[in-house]
Amino acid sequence: MTRKLAILSVLLVVLAAPATPFWGSFFAGIGKAVGKAIGIPQLGGGLSGLMPVTVKAAKPVVDAANQRLGELQNIRSMASGTLEHFSGVVGTLRDLGDLRAFQATATRWLRSSTANRFGTSGGWVDTINGDSPSGSVVDAYGRASVPVPDWSAAMPALDPQLQAAIRRDHASLEISDAASVRSLAVLGEARRLAGERRAAHANLERAALDPSHGSQSMPALLGKLTVGQVRQLRSGEQTNQLLDAMLEAELATAKRQRDQLARSMRAAAEYSELAAAQPAPQWRMP
């Protein structure tokens, strides 16, 4: 009888005590431990006061754990890929040996030179080598070229057709001079920057042939590849400028040749017309 009274007293004390603080702290401790294990520090506060933990309440915990697991798997996959890449690089470098064996000297840009005996060709050479400022191209070309005759005083006394022909010939000379001056300027600019381009290409080649692991890493290789593509674009642009200047000079030459042919055809037509206007000769036997 006494034992039954003792058990009944203990049950009354337990039922009379507030259950929420006790069980709340109990489950909060469990939540913090679980959250720390899966990398979610705030998980313990979310479980504070849960009594009991239902399946619905546990779903966010499972989802967070699965998300964390996926992130860890991605990190592990990236680490494995990086390790495999560097392992392959080390093997490739070991097989290639000294990469400097693949280095080749680039062709140098040769400079022009003249005797400049009377001081008429030195400016031309300085301009085409890129040693003189771009503003002096016209003056250098003029000192080395025969000046165009001035027909202004003689023009009024000439026949109108002859005046028109002289004006066209004068246009041919001006067009040819303009194309030549521009070709000098473009080629001089290309030669002036040849040393800078050569140094940049040499630096890029040394970086590409550097056998160190840092230089052969994926970011470094991508960076050098991008720089090489930019250098190729600039070289293509320079080639286009040279071709453009060459085409302009070719057009000027084609115009001169066309004018010469037109003058020859006109002279032939005038001769044929004059010959047709003459009476036919009267031949008779003596």
Side-chain angles (χ1 to χ4, degrees), residues 21-94:
F22 171 77
W23 293 109
S25 60
F26 175 75
F27 284 105
I30 295 178
K32 291 179 180 179
V34 175
K36 184 177 181 181
I38 63 176
I40 308 176
Q42 69 275 17
L43 190 58
L47 292 179
S48 179
L50 288 178
M51 189 182 71
V53 179
T54 62
V55 175
K56 182 178 180 180
K59 187 177 183 303
V61 180
V62 176
D63 294 341
N66 290 331
Q67 182 179 0
R68 181 62 175 172
L69 180 60
E71 294 175 357
L72 294 176
Q73 290 176 347
N74 291 334
I75 294 175
R76 181 178 181 276
S77 177
M78 293 175 59
S80 299
T82 304
L83 181 60
E84 292 177 358
H85 167 71
F86 280 106
S87 299
V89 169
V90 171
T92 302
L93 295 176
R94 186 184 303 112

Side-chain angles (χ1 to χ4, degrees), residues 14 36 38 48 53 72-73 85 93 114 132 137 145 148 163 172 189 216 235 244 251 277:
V14 172
K36 184 177 181 181
I38 63 176
S48 179
V53 179
L72 294 176
Q73 290 176 347
H85 167 71
L93 295 176
T114 61
S132 58
V137 178
S145 305
V148 179
Q163 292 183 18
S172 297
E189 183 73 5
Q216 297 297 331
S235 299
D244 182 73
L251 289 175

Side-chain angles (χ1 to χ4, degrees), residues 4 15 28 43 75 94 103 110 113 116 119 123 145 151 154 158 165 167 171 189 194 203 208 219 230 245-246 278 283:
K4 291 181 180 181
L15 292 176
L43 190 58
I75 294 175
R94 186 184 303 112
Q103 189 173 6
L110 301 179
S113 61
N116 194 27
S145 305
W151 285 80
L158 299 177
R167 291 190 180 96
E189 183 73 5
N203 292 333
V230 173
M246 184 183 298
Q278 299 297 324
W283 298 96

